Amino acid sequence: MREIITHDAAETVRLGRALGQLAQAGDVILLDGDLGAGKTTMTKGIARGLGITGPVKSPTFTLIREYQDGRLPLYHMDVYRLENGGAEDLGLDEYFDGDGVSVVEWSEFITDLLPPTYVRIRIARTDSTDDTRRITITAHGGDYVRYEDVAFE
Ligand code: ADP
Ligand code: MG
């Protein structure tokens, strides 16, 4: 486990970029945290770290957005709308088993469908009145521990 505090959105993007630079084909990155915690903000940084240059928008309504212009494909998923089921039909395994990098916002809603190994990044406000976020990175199997060792200060 690794804990990092960021003090504004730009710092979270910078951390995301460093994480994205560590990503390898087939990696699965779970992003958990409340609405507005910074999951999509973090994903923008991960995309930059993959060399994706265009805009990264929240896939809240489309559920999945794919980006192909980086070093590896990025599959950005937001399964918030699947809180009450329906994820079985999305073919998530195709993404998790693919050569791209899967980033999943609200993965707690699809626990039954997650692959056996992944890195989980939790983002939490420390105080309701400021921009500080506590970000914890926890490797679950594979060689995801490299994410915990990200160079960042
Ligand atoms: P989520 O995807 O978790 O719902 P978003 O990334 O869409 O959250 O929104 C996070 C909001 O919080 C953005 O408006 C962002 O600018 C703001 N913010 C403020 N401080 C931070 C921080 N330290 N890290 C990430 N986002 C932050
Ligand atoms: Mg989001």
Side-chain angles (χ1 to χ4, degrees):
M1 204 262 263
R2 170 82 176 275
E3 184 176 288
I4 293 170
I5 301 290
T6 67
H7 303 87
D8 56 32
E11 199 174 1
T12 297
V13 172
R14 188 163 65 83
L15 173 59
R17 191 194 317 128
L19 294 168
Q21 286 169 347
L22 297 175
Q24 296 175 2
D27 278 358
V28 176
I29 301 172
L30 309 183
L31 291 181
D32 291 306
D34 292 342
L35 201 65
K39 301 180 293 298
T40 299
T41 302
M42 169 71 77
T43 307
K44 289 178 182 180
I46 293 171
R48 294 293 172 264
L50 287 168
I52 294 160
T53 55
V56 172
K57 292 184 197 155
S58 175
T60 302
F61 297 102
T62 53
L63 298 178
I64 300 174
R65 284 182 194 268
E66 291 189 44
Y67 300 85
Q68 298 286 352
D69 63 312
R71 174 171 71 78
L72 294 167
L74 170 64
Y75 313 131
H76 182 197
M77 308 166 210
D78 182 335
V79 296
Y80 182 72
R81 292 199 306 149
L82 302 178
E83 182 174 13
N84 300 311
E88 296 76 10
D89 308 327
L90 275 179
L92 293 176
D93 280 348
E94 302 280 320
Y95 293 99
F96 296 152
D97 296 341
D99 280 339
V101 176
S102 299
V103 172
V104 188
E105 296 190 37
W106 295 103
S107 74
E108 65 233 60
F109 291 159
I110 57 161
T111 34
D112 294 349
L113 302 173
L114 294 174
T117 65
Y118 50 78
V119 60
R120 184 185 298 275
I121 300 175
R122 289 188 193 279
I123 309 176
R125 286 190 178 80
T126 61
D127 184 316
S128 58
T129 61
D130 74 13
D131 287 347
T132 304
R133 301 290 191 270
R134 176 178 291 110
I135 298 174
T136 53
I137 302 171
T138 311
H140 291 264
D143 47 6
Y144 287 105
V145 73
R146 70 183 180 284
Y147 287 96
E148 296 184 1
D149 295 335
V150 63
F152 186 83
E153 39 196 307

